[in-house]
Amino acid sequence: METVLVIGAARSGTAAARLLKQQGYEVILTDSGPVTDRSGLEGIKIVDNGHPEWLFEKEYAFVVKNPGIPYRVPVVKRFVDAGIPVYTEIETAFRAAPSLRYGAITGTDGKTTVTTLLYEMLKRKSDSARFAGNIGIPLSEVVLEAEGEPADIALELSNFQLMGTETFRPEVCTVTNLAPDHLDYMDSLESYYESKMKIYENCREEDWFIRNTDDPEIMKYATNIPCRIIDFSLTRECDLCRHDGKVWLLGQELFDEKDLKLAGDFNLGNAMMAAAMAFRLGVTPDDIQEVIRTFPGVEHRIEFVAEHNGVRIYNDTKATNTHAACAALSAFPERVILLAGGKDKHISFDDLKRYDSVVKQCYSFGETRDRFGDVFTHQTSVDTMEEAVDLALGLAEPGDTILLSPACSSFDQFANYEERGRVFKDLIRSRLQ
């Protein structure tokens, strides 16, 4: 019996361990901290609170690591240096489930919106449709639930997950856009962009890659594409484009722009990519149009929270970089009271300067609070998001928009961006009671 080591006992690691055990491997699951919840891990050897030396002396068929653990971390690097394959949970799950079909989405921003829209469209085709990946559900869990039955999967992929793939193949995929991000994890911006292009590496001639021709970095890095290229643009006519208020794919009308409830051209682009992917996976135009008409948006991404005395309030906590924050600001013409800040990811904030005339006042908080003083004319630094909320509500007048769009990750003051968004919404609701 071959042995596999799984590094990291978070949700994706435990799911991968369970799946590998089902496949007949001897599985060792290790974590630098305590593994307190061991339900479902019967028959799996658990080594927690560190990685003892004997772990490195065993022979492994391959190693599976949590995608958030960099390859340079010593416990991973030792296996890389020894020539032992190191995969992420995505590759493990893909190999275990040949009956599943994938629409895969990566990019810097918009991934979750595209993935969620695609999933809603795939559900119109079949109840067996699922979503997985970076959106919060490990693919291994979906594979275990599918029990070998065919299903269509809307799969969101981070570059961390893609870096650990070797054979993964979607039938249709896209890179939404490229902008600087994760420079605290990656060796360089170039390596970050290149890692995204692994999404189509194993595609076949009949598969589709939807190429965003409006993004110059995608046009630069998307090379040697082995499958059919579907060119997409918001500004010119091509394979997937807008014309006379409607969205067209290869001469087929997909939906009417006016039916989309999401704000901003970038969200129209997200909907266009999702619709094209759904069409490739067999969803009818009628079903695509029904989803476009009814889709309310994704939690934490320009999510409408409340309106009070003529002031509209939005939660965009998922904007963890400047590119995403710029996209949010572009959806509002003026009078935005911006709440921003968080953990420093060592990326430039200069892109935000173009929205100085849109931002009535910026209240910045957290580790990067003082960096926004060089970006916006009207800016105040505070320690916490709670202080920023109170100041924003005190300043806001009818016609203003309060927007949480941090342009930074959450890890200085919150467990994740979801917690930051939930706290923001709770603060708003408590103040408006």
Side-chain angles (χ1 to χ4, degrees):
M1 179 185 295
E2 290 185 309
T3 303
V4 174
L5 177 67
V6 178
I7 303 173
R11 185 172 178 179
S12 66
T14 55
R18 290 168 51 218
L19 179 60
L20 289 163
K21 178 71 171 59
Q22 184 190 75
Q23 290 184 284
Y25 289 100
E26 177 187 1
V27 181
I28 300 173
L29 175 63
T30 184
D31 198 281
S32 58
V35 180
T36 54
D37 184 3
R38 304 193 176 198
S39 56
L41 297 177
E42 296 80 8
I44 295 169
K45 184 174 181 61
I46 298 174
V47 182
D48 58 357
N49 293 307
H51 313 295
E53 189 62 29
W54 65 262
L55 278 178
F56 303 96
E57 297 168 356
K58 292 182 66 68
E59 291 188 6
Y60 301 105
F62 54 90
V63 172
V64 178
K65 77 169 187 68
N66 182 293
I69 303 173
Y71 283 89
R72 61 178 176 269
V73 170
V75 66
V76 177
K77 190 174 185 299
R78 286 182 65 171
F79 293 110
V80 173
D81 291 345
I84 298 170
V86 179
Y87 303 131
T88 54
E89 174 263 339
I90 296 294
E91 177 72 13
T92 300
F94 175 77
R95 294 184 180 204
S99 62
L100 301 184
R101 304 171 68 208
Y102 298 95
I105 301 98
T106 193
T108 304
D109 306 309
K111 298 187 296 295
T112 299
T113 299
V114 176
T115 303
T116 306
L117 265 168
L118 175 59
Y119 167 64
E120 293 297 328
M121 293 170 184
L122 292 172
K123 276 201 306 183
R124 304 281 300 188
K125 174 189 168 188
S126 171
D127 290 339
S128 65
R130 296 288 184 271
F131 64 88
N134 196 56
I135 199 168
I137 307 294
L139 182 57
S140 293
E141 286 187 12
V142 171
V143 170
L144 286 164
E145 292 170 3
E147 297 181 334
E149 294 298 316
D152 293 326
I153 312 297
L155 185 64
E156 178 182 329
L157 294 172
S158 69
N159 70 303
F160 306 151
Q161 292 168 316
L162 282 166
M163 288 168 68
T165 58
E166 186 177 89
T167 65
F168 171 72
R169 172 205 159 218
E171 293 191 22
V172 58
C173 61
T174 194
V175 179
T176 55
N177 51 47
L178 290 175
D181 202 359
H182 299 305
L183 299 187
D184 51 346
Y185 182 108
M186 302 297 296
D187 293 334
S188 67
L189 181 60
E190 183 178 54
S191 63
Y192 168 62
Y193 288 166
E194 288 175 346
S195 67
K196 293 289 191 182
M197 301 309 149
K198 283 182 67 68
I199 197 165
Y200 56 70
E201 192 172 67
N202 299 304
C203 285
R204 300 174 186 167
E205 187 177 352
E206 66 270 22
D207 302 327
W208 283 12
F209 173 64
I210 299 172
R211 182 172 64 177
N212 182 356
T213 63
D214 295 337
D215 191 306
E217 298 298 343
I218 288 177
M219 297 304 289
K220 176 181 176 181
Y221 284 91
T223 59
N224 300 317
I225 301 168
C227 57
R228 183 176 182 181
I229 298 170
I230 302 295
D231 277 339
F232 154 68
S233 176
L234 283 166
T235 60
R236 64 180 184 84
E237 293 196 12
C238 56
D239 300 323
L240 174 62
C241 63
R242 58 201 296 200
H243 182 73
D244 291 338
K246 298 181 185 299
V247 170
W248 299 83
L249 170 66
L250 302 172
Q252 167 70 57
E253 181 185 333
L254 290 184
F255 63 88
D256 195 312
E257 286 184 44
K258 71 177 186 299
D259 290 335
L260 184 67
K261 294 179 172 59
L262 306 184
D265 265 6
F266 65 95
N267 268 324
L268 173 62
N270 291 336
M272 290 168 68
M273 286 183 272
M277 296 178 79
F279 186 82
R280 172 61 180 79
L281 291 170
V283 181
T284 67
D286 285 346
D287 283 338
I288 289 170
Q289 291 157 20
E290 181 61 24
V291 171
I292 292 295
R293 282 191 291 268
T294 58
F295 185 69
V298 175
E299 186 180 17
H300 303 311
R301 191 69 180 101
I302 319 185
E303 175 193 5
F304 177 73
V305 177
E307 183 169 353
H308 182 70
N309 294 335
V311 177
R312 294 175 68 85
I313 304 168
Y314 292 87
N315 163 36
D316 191 45
T317 181
K318 201 173 189 299
T320 58
N321 57 63
T322 58
H323 193 264
C326 286
L329 287 167
S330 73
F332 304 99
E334 60 181 356
R335 299 175 59 181
V336 172
I337 301 173
L338 176 67
L339 278 58
K343 186 178 186 298
D344 195 345
K345 298 167 76 174
H346 308 296
I347 58 179
S348 171
F349 288 174
D350 286 350
D351 284 354
L352 293 168
K353 291 180 179 179
R354 77 183 90 155
Y355 295 100
D356 188 37
S357 62
V358 173
V359 174
K360 175 179 178 178
Q361 176 69 37
C362 171
Y363 293 113
S364 51
F365 57 90
E367 188 178 293
T368 59
R369 58 189 175 274
D370 294 329
R371 290 189 58 193
F372 291 86
D374 295 329
V375 178
F376 298 113
T377 303
H378 305 287
Q379 180 271 343
T380 301
S381 297
V382 298
D383 289 331
T384 67
M385 185 173 68
E386 183 173 5
E387 294 175 75
V389 165
D390 288 337
L391 288 169
L393 289 171
L395 178 68
E397 300 173 317
D400 288 350
T401 297
I402 296 175
L403 172 68
L404 171 67
S405 193
C408 302
S409 70
S410 58
F411 300 125
D412 57 338
Q413 296 181 335
F414 302 93
N416 48 50
Y417 74 81
E418 293 98 335
E419 182 189 50
R420 179 170 62 189
R422 288 192 293 269
V423 170
F424 174 72
K425 290 189 286 185
D426 288 343
L427 287 169
I428 293 295
R429 289 161 183 158
S430 68
R431 292 341 188 234
L432 299 186
Q433 285 179 348

